[in-house]
Amino acid sequence: MKIIGTGSVIPKKIVTNDMLSEFLDTSDAWIYPRTGIKYRHVISDEKLEDMAIEAARKALDDAGMKAEELDFIICSNVVNEYVTPSLSCIIQGGIGATCPCIDINCACAGFIYALDLAEAQYKAGRVKNVLIVCAEEPTRMTSWKDRNVCVLFGDGAGAAVLTEGDNIKGIKLSAASATDKLYQIRTLEPTPYITKEEQNISLQLKGQDVFKFAVKASSGDIKYLLDQLHMKAEDVDKYLLHQANIRIIHAIRDYLEQPDEKFPTNVENHGNSSSASCPILLDECRRNGTVKKGDILALSAFGAGFISGAAIMEL
Ligand code: UT7
C-alpha cells in the first residue's frame, strides 16, 4: 500500500502557556523548556466528529478520490462524545462512503496500529482504497485543575488515504502492559445490582515513567525495523515522531545519531494530540514541502497501555 492523500483539521481556539498560568500554578518558564510546547489548539464550539469528517474530506481531495471508492475506513480515537455508534460510522456517513468501518483505541500509537491493520487487509486482498482518520480530544480527558497533565495536550484530527502500492517497507507493533502509568477511568450507568464503588478519574500520568518508556520503545521499534530491513538510520530521510515532548524527540534523535533537521516537529504549537499527532505532522510536512514523494520516512508513536509502534515507508 501507499499513502496518496492526507488532511488535517485543528480547532481554532489557541491556548498559550501564559493563558494557562492565569488559572493554574504554572508558567511558560516551566512548560516550554520541559516539553517544547508554546501553545495548543483546544476544542471549544467544534465537534470532534465534524473535524474528523473534514480531515477525511481533505485527505480524499488530496488523493483525488471519491468517498464511494473507499473499501475500508479505520478510525483511531480514545474518547469522543459517542459511546456508540463508532466514530468511523459517523465519518462514513459524513463523507458519503459505503464501505465497512471500524474504530480502534490504541491511544497515541493509533496511526501506526491503523497502518498495520490496513496492511493486513491489503495482504488478504480485500481492499484497494483505505481511509485512516485519527481524531482526538485529549483536552476533554484531563482535569484542567491538574497542572501535571492538562498543559501537555491539544486536540485535532489527521487523515490519510491509502491505495495499492509497495511503499510500506515494515511495521513494528509493541505492547508492554503498565496500566497505572497513564490512564483515565469513567463511570458507567448505574444498575440496581451494582454494589461496588466507582468514580470518574481524569487522565492520570506518571510523567517520568512514560518519558522513559517512550524513549526506549520508540528507539527500540525504529532500530528493530532498520535491522529487519537491513537499513541504517542514515537511510531514513525524515523521522516523523509522536509529538508529545521535544525532549523525548531529542532523546530518540540522539539514540539514532541523526541530525536535527531530519526530525520535523509541531509540538511547539499543537502539544500532544494523541493518535492525531503523527498524521497531522505528516499532513503539515507534505503540504509545506518538508517531505516529498520518494522520501523514506520513519513514523513512530507510543502511548497508554503502554503500547508503541513504528513504520518505515517510502512516501
Ligand atoms: O503520549 C504519551 C503522553 N505523555 C507523555 O508523553 C508525557 C511524558 N512525560 C513528560 O513529558 C514529562 O515527564 C513531563 C513534561 C510530564 C514532566 O517533566 P519532568 O521533567 O519529568 O518533570 P519533573 O519531574 O522534573 O518535575 C516535576 C515537578 C513537580 O514538582 P516537585 O514535586 O518536584 O516539587 C510537579 O509538581 O514539576 C511540577 N510540575 C509543574 N510545575 C509547574 C508538574 N507540572 C507542572 C506545571 N507547571 N505544569
Side-chain angles (χ1 to χ4, degrees):
M1 64 192 191
K2 62 180 176 185
I3 293 177
I4 54 162
T6 55
S8 60
V9 174
I10 47 172
K12 60 185 173 309
K13 177 78 183 170
I14 288 175
V15 178
T16 64
N17 294 342
D18 287 340
M19 286 162 76
L20 292 173
S21 61
E22 286 168 18
F23 59 90
L24 273 176
D25 181 15
T26 190
S27 61
D28 181 61
W30 191 94
I31 298 169
Y32 183 60
R34 276 189 183 69
T35 67
I37 301 167
K38 288 182 183 153
Y39 59 87
R40 70 287 290 143
H41 294 256
V42 173
I43 277 186
S44 52
D45 60 358
E46 298 96 345
K47 280 181 169 288
L48 187 66
E49 58 263 34
D50 294 339
M51 290 171 49
I53 290 165
E54 200 187 330
R57 282 202 188 113
K58 284 184 174 180
L60 284 166
D61 279 355
D62 188 37
M65 190 182 288
K66 293 197 177 70
E68 304 90 284
E69 296 175 67
L70 289 170
D71 301 306
F72 201 54
I73 299 171
I74 304 171
C75 176
S76 162
N77 168 259
V78 178
V79 164
N80 71 89
E81 287 170 44
Y82 283 87
V83 173
T84 193
S86 65
L87 198 48
S88 57
C89 234
I90 297 170
I91 296 167
Q92 192 242 32
I95 60 174
T98 52
C99 61
C101 51
I102 188 172
D103 275 19
I104 58 169
N105 178 343
C106 299
C108 304
F111 187 59
I112 313 291
Y113 273 69
L115 284 174
D116 190 70
L117 290 178
E119 194 186 41
Q121 294 283 323
Y122 278 97
K123 283 188 171 159
R126 288 190 182 145
V127 294
K128 189 164 184 282
N129 302 317
V130 174
L131 169 70
I132 296 175
V133 186
C134 301
E136 303 281 12
E137 46 186 336
T139 67
R140 304 299 305 278
M141 300 167 63
T142 66
S143 161
W144 281 69
K145 292 180 178 155
D146 184 354
R147 67 178 184 173
N148 288 297
V149 186
C150 73
V151 306
L152 303 173
F153 293 94
D155 304 317
V161 172
L162 309 169
T163 195
E164 288 165 315
D166 193 20
N167 292 36
I168 302 290
K169 305 301 173 201
I171 300 176
K172 163 84 170 121
L173 305 182
S174 308
S177 185
T179 53
D180 62 331
K181 309 293 188 196
L182 183 55
Y183 66 93
Q184 181 192 2
I185 295 173
R186 61 182 161 184
T187 56
L188 304 180
E189 291 298 311
T191 78
Y193 314 108
I194 291 294
T195 51
K196 60 195 171 179
E197 255 188 50
E198 293 180 335
Q199 54 173 329
N200 283 303
I201 302 174
S202 64
L203 191 67
Q204 302 293 304
L205 165 80
K206 295 207 169 95
Q208 294 193 357
D209 291 339
V210 179
F211 193 109
K212 284 178 205 152
F213 166 79
V215 174
K216 199 169 160 218
S218 265
S219 306
D221 290 342
I222 295 169
K223 180 75 171 54
Y224 174 92
L225 276 182
L226 290 172
D227 289 348
Q228 286 279 309
L229 296 165
H230 306 294
M231 290 171 69
K232 295 201 173 75
E234 298 81 62
D235 300 332
V236 173
D237 294 304
K238 290 284 181 318
Y239 289 89
L240 304 189
L241 306 183
H242 177 41
Q243 302 288 299
N245 185 322
I246 196 76
R247 291 188 296 138
I248 295 175
I249 296 166
H250 287 167
I252 299 165
R253 175 201 65 191
D254 293 348
Y255 170 82
L256 294 167
E257 298 182 323
Q258 291 299 292
D260 203 42
E261 54 271 23
K262 282 196 174 184
F263 294 79
T265 60
N266 64 15
V267 66
E268 303 81 8
N269 38 28
H270 288 295
N272 179 349
S273 54
S274 189
S275 73
S277 162
C278 271
I280 290 174
L281 181 66
L282 175 63
D283 183 49
E284 288 182 358
C285 286
R286 281 180 81 246
R287 284 171 197 270
N288 67 23
T290 304
V291 298
K292 53 191 186 314
K293 202 169 163 15
D295 278 354
I296 300 295
L297 306 183
L299 276 65
S300 172
F302 52 85
F306 292 131
I307 58 174
S308 67
I312 293 184
M313 68 179 78
E314 183 182 329
L315 192 58

